[in-house]
Amino acid sequence: MQRILVFAYGALSYIVFFLTFLYAIGFVGNIYVPKGIDSAPQVPLLTALLVNLGLLALFAVQHSLMARPFFKRWITRFIPQAIERSTYVLASSLALIALFVFWQPMGGVIWAVNQPLLVALLQTLFVLGWLIVLSSTFLINHFDLFGLRQVWLNLRNKPYTELRFVTPLMYSFCRHPLYLGFLLGFWMTPVMTVAHLLFALGTTGYILVAIQLEERDLIDAHPEYLEYRRRVPMIIPIPGRRRAAHAPEAA
Ligand SMILES: C[S@@+](CC[C@H](N)C(=O)[O-])C[C@H]1O[C@@H](n2cnc3c(N)ncnc32)[C@H](O)[C@@H]1O
């Protein structure tokens, strides 16, 4: 019975995540959602700035703190190991939902592109970015990243096995394609408003910090990551930067 409940919790967390992910695309792109990043401003600029910074900080702290091994060890003293990832996914989704609900649009246009070809290019890169995000999760292991594999193994009374370090497809061109996808999704817009710029700058800064923390854990768990880090660029797949494994460092 407990295993069924654990599985139901994991499945529910996954559904909440997936709907939140879809809403995030609509929110950032101002498409198909009741309130987007650029809906009409409701409060004075300074209030909006403080609220939005608080919402971004809430997500950053939740997302990075709960991902650390010491936090996972602590929380699994109170909840079953099998739902640790689902709990992380659920908490991340709730932090994002709070951001969508309380986000304060700020008006003000930083840039507005009118040239139809350039608009089409930006919109294509926006869509491409979100596709890269989703496909990267499958290259690592989509169902493990979002907690379903853990509750499924638990349901079948099978032990959990850690994910292996992998570098398929996009991961051989840059170490963080998923974050590259987010950056495209956040920056590629024909109309950049003040609120959107704040969001893009905040999330970019957060991604750069999160990479440092994530790579520290990856090196601890997979020592071969050090060699991968020397060989493969971090985010931007710079042509020529990629070197064969064990090739000497460029001067
Ligand atoms: C949200 S994913 C982001 C992955 C990567 N930073 C990216 O941008 O594509 C974070 C999880 O992926 C895992 N991860 C990152 N790179 C990995 C790799 N090459 N192989 C296996 N797991 C990886 C991290 O340990 C972490 O649990």
Side-chain angles (χ1 to χ4, degrees), residues 119-136:
V119 171
L121 176 69
L122 289 169
Q123 288 171 340
T124 305
L125 289 171
F126 172 83
V127 173
L128 184 70
W130 291 102
L131 289 176
I132 292 176
V133 169
L134 196 60
S135 51
S136 300

Side-chain angles (χ1 to χ4, degrees), residues 134-145 163-168 171 175-178 214 218:
L134 196 60
S135 51
S136 300
T137 65
F138 283 96
L139 291 179
I140 289 188
N141 187 326
H142 179 82
F143 297 109
D144 189 284
L145 283 179
L163 286 189
R164 285 180 311 117
F165 164 60
V166 290
T167 61
Y171 282 87
R175 305 198 297 276
H176 301 283
L178 192 147
E214 184 177 314
L218 278 163

Side-chain angles (χ1 to χ4, degrees), residues 51-63:
V51 170
N52 293 344
L53 284 175
L55 291 166
L56 287 167
L58 174 74
F59 178 79
V61 170
Q62 173 278 320
H63 208 65

Side-chain angles (χ1 to χ4, degrees), residues 26-37:
F27 178 79
V28 179
N30 295 295
I31 39 173
Y32 309 126
V33 292
K35 180 184 162 199
I37 200 165

Side-chain angles (χ1 to χ4, degrees), residues 230-231 240-244 246-251:
R230 272 194 292 273
R231 194 164 42 87
R241 165 74 170 74
R242 212 166 137 242
R243 288 187 293 276
H246 309 302
E249 281 283 315

